[in-house]
């Protein structure tokens, strides 16, 4: 029966209420002391003020169609970077020293702790729209109304100035980099132009774009060579006819004249055959039938020339000289033929030179194509860098004139009229409930440490084997008992 009463929830509640009733004086005393301390602490807490300013994120005023921005980060990333710069220890320490913040704590805590506290008092709230970051609010919290407004304005000004400085430095660095690259590329382009010019001057007349002109010149020279050969043939034929005319002493001069004329005719035919063979070699190989026939014809002419009787040199010379001196027409023919032979050698030399140019055209075409490819690549790169340099210079000009995207302070932070904290009413209510809880807790602790028997149940628990016969009521009144107890017993809440 006793175990069931002990285990009953009602019995536990009854025991708790009995303990509270038995030590209510202790509970009241502890609650009053704790509440007084809490009220004193709450009322002594300094007022907390907050000043804030709103900074607008302005887009670029000139359209991107005309001038592209050189900013590599959007507003959110730039704000994050600027926050890291502004909230750095060096920047905060500079502001703290200039404005003489935390004068009472400077000798009590270290500078790092002061900077950490200042960083904790700074708040940044972002505001976004459909296009991204549109504005942000910068606030500062402190114990002085004038101080928080001054610090908030100083931080906002630092944000704006550092943003402009950062964008100007970025524009300047970009412009300088592009200018250096442009100078380097221009030097390379000038070197390639000089190489291309030197190559063209060295191989003047042999370049691929002059191939058509060389082909036309070669065709014209071949026509001139053919005409020269035909003219020599006509002169040889005319000389043969002139030398074969009847003379005053036919018996003395007929044989040498006939032999010399035959040799001249065969020589002229052999030269014409060689000219035709050279023309065939330009268009056909050695296995072509016409080439074989023309070579056979030349060999036959060589055989006929070798079969002619050789005239004595003195008599032949004398005969030729006498014939030439005796016939003015032969002198003219001989002079014209020498002139045609000189022209023929010149034409053949020119043909060989132009033929060499035509043959070397593929090699020069490959070499100059490499130079032109390198030159074209460098020129395109130079033009692209030139356009980027002009664009970067205009963007830098926009940054200097503050026409690009930047931050603008809408309203300066004003001195707050009322503090934002501490919230004393909630704190006092919290202190009240905490004082009651502390009193009850101390009473329960004292009840736990007290070993005296205060009820029938506790007596049964102490003497479970001995039956309880009855109880004796108290013989004295409560005021008498209170006056008889010592002062320490009264403070512990005993009755």
């Amino acid at each position: 029966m006793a175990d069931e009463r002990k285990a009953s929830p009602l019995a536990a509640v009854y025991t708790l209420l009995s303990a509270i009733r038995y030590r209510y004086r202790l509970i009241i005393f502890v609650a009053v002391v704790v509440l007084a301390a809490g009220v004193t602490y709450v009322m002594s807490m300094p007022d907390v003020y907050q000043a804030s300013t709103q900074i607008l994120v302005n887009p670029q005023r000139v359209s991107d169609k005309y001038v592209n921005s050189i900013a590599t980060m959007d507003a959110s990333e730039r704000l994050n970077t600027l926050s890291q710069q502004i909230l750095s220890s060096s920047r905060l320490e500079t502001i703290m020293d200039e404005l003489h913040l935390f004068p009472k704590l400077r000798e009590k805590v270290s500078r790092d702790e002061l900077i950490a506290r200042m960083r904790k008092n700074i708040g940044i709230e972002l505001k976004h729209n459909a296009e991204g970051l549109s504005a942000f609010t910068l606030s500062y919290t402190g114990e002085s109304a004038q101080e928080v407004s001054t610090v908030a304005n100083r931080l906002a000004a630092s944000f704006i100035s550092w943003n402009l400085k950062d964008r100007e430095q970025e524009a300047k660095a970009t412009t300088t980099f592009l200018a250096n690259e442009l100078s380097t590329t221009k030097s390379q382009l000038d070197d390639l132009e000089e190489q291309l010019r030197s190559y063209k001057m060295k191989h003047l007349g042999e370049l691929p774009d002059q191939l058509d002109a060389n082909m036309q010149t070669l065709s014209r020279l071949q026509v001139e060579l053919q005409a020269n050969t035909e003219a020599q043939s006509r002169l040889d034929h005319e000389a043969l006819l002139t030398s074969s005319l009847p003379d005053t002493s036919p018996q003395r001069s007929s044989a040498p004249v006939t032999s010399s004329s035959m040799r001249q005719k065969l020589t002229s035919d052999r030269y014409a055959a060689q000219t035709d063979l050279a023309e065939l070699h330009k268009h056909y190989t050695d296995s072509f039938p016409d080439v074989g026939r023309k070579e056979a014809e030349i060999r036959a002419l060589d055989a006929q020339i070798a079969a002619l009787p050789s005239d004595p040199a003195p008599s032949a010379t004398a005969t030729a000289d006498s014939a030439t001196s005796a016939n003015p027409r032969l002198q003219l023919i001989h002079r014209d033929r020498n002139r045609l032979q000189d022209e023929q050698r010149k034409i053949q030399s020119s043909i060989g030179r132009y033929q060499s140019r035509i043959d070397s055209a593929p090699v020069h075409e490959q070499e100059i194509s490499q130079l032109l490819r390198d030159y074209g690549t460098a020129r395109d790169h130079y033009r692209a860098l030139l356009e980027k340099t002009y664009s970067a210079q205009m963007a830098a000009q926009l940054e200097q004139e503050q026409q690009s995207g930047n931050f603008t302070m809408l309203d300066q932070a004003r001195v707050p009229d009322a503090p934002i904290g501490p919230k004393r009413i909630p704190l006092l209510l919290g202190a009240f409930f905490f004082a009651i809880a502390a009193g009850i807790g101390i009473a329960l602790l004292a009840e736990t440490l007290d070993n005296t028997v205060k009820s029938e149940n506790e007596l049964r628990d102490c003497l479970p084997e001995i039956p309880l016969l009855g109880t004796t009521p108290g013989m004295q009144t409560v005021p008498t008992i209170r006056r008889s107890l010592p002062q320490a017993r009264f403070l512990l809440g005993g009755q």
Side-chain angles (χ1 to χ4, degrees):
M1 186 66 179
D3 295 337
E4 293 178 0
R5 189 185 301 116
K6 183 179 179 181
S8 175
L10 294 177
V13 174
Y14 176 78
T15 303
L16 178 62
L17 293 177
S18 298
I20 293 174
R21 185 176 63 252
Y22 182 73
R23 300 186 184 274
Y24 73 93
R25 293 183 181 87
L26 179 60
I27 294 174
I28 294 173
F29 177 78
V30 173
V32 170
V33 173
V34 174
L35 181 60
V39 170
T40 303
Y41 176 76
V42 171
M43 297 307 294
S44 63
M45 291 176 62
D47 293 335
V48 177
Y49 296 90
Q50 185 182 63
S52 61
T53 179
Q54 190 172 11
I55 299 176
L56 180 65
V57 180
N58 294 324
Q60 182 170 302
R61 299 180 183 178
V62 181
S63 177
D64 291 338
K65 296 180 181 179
Y66 304 104
V67 180
N68 292 325
S69 176
I70 61 175
T72 58
M73 298 181 294
D74 57 11
S76 299
E77 295 177 349
R78 185 173 295 278
L79 177 61
N80 185 24
T81 303
L82 291 175
S83 299
Q84 298 297 328
Q85 294 176 353
I86 300 300
L87 300 180
S88 63
S89 299
S90 58
R91 293 293 302 170
L92 293 181
E93 186 176 6
T94 302
I95 297 175
M96 184 176 62
D97 293 338
E98 291 178 357
L99 301 180
H100 303 286
L101 303 180
F102 308 108
K104 299 179 181 180
L105 298 177
R106 286 179 177 268
E107 298 179 357
K108 298 180 181 179
V109 297
S110 62
R111 297 185 67 87
D112 293 337
E113 293 179 356
L114 294 178
I115 293 173
R117 178 173 295 189
M118 183 178 179
R119 187 182 291 114
K120 185 178 180 181
N121 294 339
I122 299 173
I124 299 176
E125 181 182 357
L126 305 181
K127 296 181 180 180
H128 295 81
N129 55 15
E131 297 179 356
L133 181 65
S134 60
F136 65 94
T137 302
L138 178 64
S139 61
Y140 183 76
T141 304
E143 299 178 359
S144 173
Q146 183 65 38
E147 179 181 285
V148 294
S149 63
T150 304
V151 174
N153 290 326
R154 180 61 181 276
L155 290 174
S158 298
F159 263 98
I160 295 174
S161 62
W162 273 78
N163 175 62
L164 294 177
K165 182 178 179 181
D166 186 64
R167 292 178 70 96
E168 289 179 2
Q169 289 180 351
E170 185 175 357
K172 184 178 180 181
T174 303
T175 305
T176 303
F177 172 77
L178 290 177
N180 294 334
E181 289 293 322
L182 185 65
S183 177
T184 303
T185 305
K186 187 177 184 303
S187 300
Q188 296 176 356
L189 186 62
D190 293 340
D191 293 341
L192 291 174
E193 286 181 350
E194 181 62 24
Q195 293 179 11
L196 187 60
R197 187 192 65 80
S198 300
Y199 186 86
K200 287 183 178 181
M201 293 300 297
K202 181 179 180 181
H203 302 282
L204 189 63
E206 302 176 1
L207 301 178
D209 54 355
Q210 298 173 337
L211 180 61
D212 294 338
N214 292 334
M215 292 291 293
Q216 294 176 2
T217 304
L218 181 62
S219 300
R220 179 178 59 79
L221 290 174
Q222 289 175 350
V223 172
E224 291 180 359
L225 179 62
Q226 182 67 27
N228 184 280
T229 303
E230 292 176 356
Q232 290 188 38
S233 298
R234 288 194 298 271
L235 289 176
D236 291 340
H237 183 69
E238 185 178 357
L240 179 62
L241 293 177
T242 303
S243 62
S244 63
L245 291 176
D247 196 8
T248 56
S249 56
Q251 293 179 354
R252 183 175 55 87
S253 59
S254 60
V257 172
T258 302
S259 177
S260 175
S261 300
M262 184 60 67
R263 184 180 297 276
Q264 291 179 356
K265 181 177 182 305
L266 293 176
T267 302
S268 177
D269 293 342
R270 182 180 181 280
Y271 184 79
Q274 287 179 342
T275 303
D276 295 339
L277 180 61
E279 185 68 23
L280 289 174
H281 278 157
K282 295 178 181 179
H283 304 284
Y284 307 103
T285 60
D286 294 339
S287 60
F288 193 71
D290 291 344
V291 175
R293 284 194 295 270
K294 188 61 66 175
E295 291 178 350
E297 181 180 352
I298 291 173
R299 289 193 295 270
L301 291 173
D302 290 338
Q304 293 178 8
I305 293 173
L308 289 175
S310 58
D311 297 333
S315 64
T317 304
T319 303
D321 294 337
S322 61
T324 301
S325 60
N327 195 342
R329 179 61 182 168
L330 289 178
Q331 294 179 357
L332 293 175
I333 293 173
H334 181 69
R335 185 169 60 251
D336 291 341
R337 195 174 187 284
N338 290 335
R339 178 179 58 80
L340 290 176
Q341 287 179 350
D342 293 338
E343 292 179 356
Q344 183 182 21
R345 286 191 293 270
K346 294 179 180 179
I347 293 173
Q348 289 177 347
S349 176
S350 299
I351 289 176
R353 185 169 63 256
Y354 279 94
Q355 186 65 43
S356 175
R357 292 180 179 180
I358 294 173
D359 294 340
S360 62
V363 178
H364 296 313
E365 181 178 6
Q366 183 178 4
E367 294 176 352
I368 201 171
S369 63
Q370 179 67 30
L371 292 174
L372 290 175
R373 182 168 60 252
D374 296 341
Y375 174 75
T377 302
R379 182 185 58 191
D380 296 339
H381 184 53
Y382 177 77
R383 290 177 178 176
L385 284 176
L386 189 61
E387 294 178 358
K388 292 179 181 179
T389 302
Y390 289 154
S391 179
Q393 290 175 353
M394 288 188 292
Q397 185 67 24
L398 284 178
E399 296 294 340
Q400 293 178 359
E401 297 178 358
Q402 300 183 9
Q403 298 292 324
S404 59
N406 52 16
F407 298 145
T408 302
M409 186 188 306
L410 296 180
D411 296 315
Q412 288 190 350
R414 295 178 298 177
V415 178
D417 299 330
I420 62 170
K423 305 295 183 181
R424 288 186 171 84
I425 300 300
L427 292 176
L428 291 175
L429 290 176
F432 174 74
F433 289 110
F434 179 74
I436 295 176
I440 294 174
I442 294 297
L444 293 178
L445 180 61
E447 186 69 20
T448 303
L449 298 177
D450 191 1
N451 295 325
T452 61
V453 178
K454 308 174 194 62
S455 65
E456 181 183 348
N457 293 331
E458 292 182 2
L459 182 59
R460 291 179 185 276
D461 293 337
C462 294
L463 303 173
E465 302 297 333
I466 301 176
L468 181 62
L469 300 179
T471 59
T472 302
M475 301 303 293
Q476 295 179 350
T477 61
V478 175
T480 304
I481 296 174
R482 288 178 179 176
R483 286 191 299 267
S484 63
L485 292 176
Q487 186 65 26
R489 181 63 176 172
F490 175 78
L491 294 177
L492 292 176
Q495 296 183 356

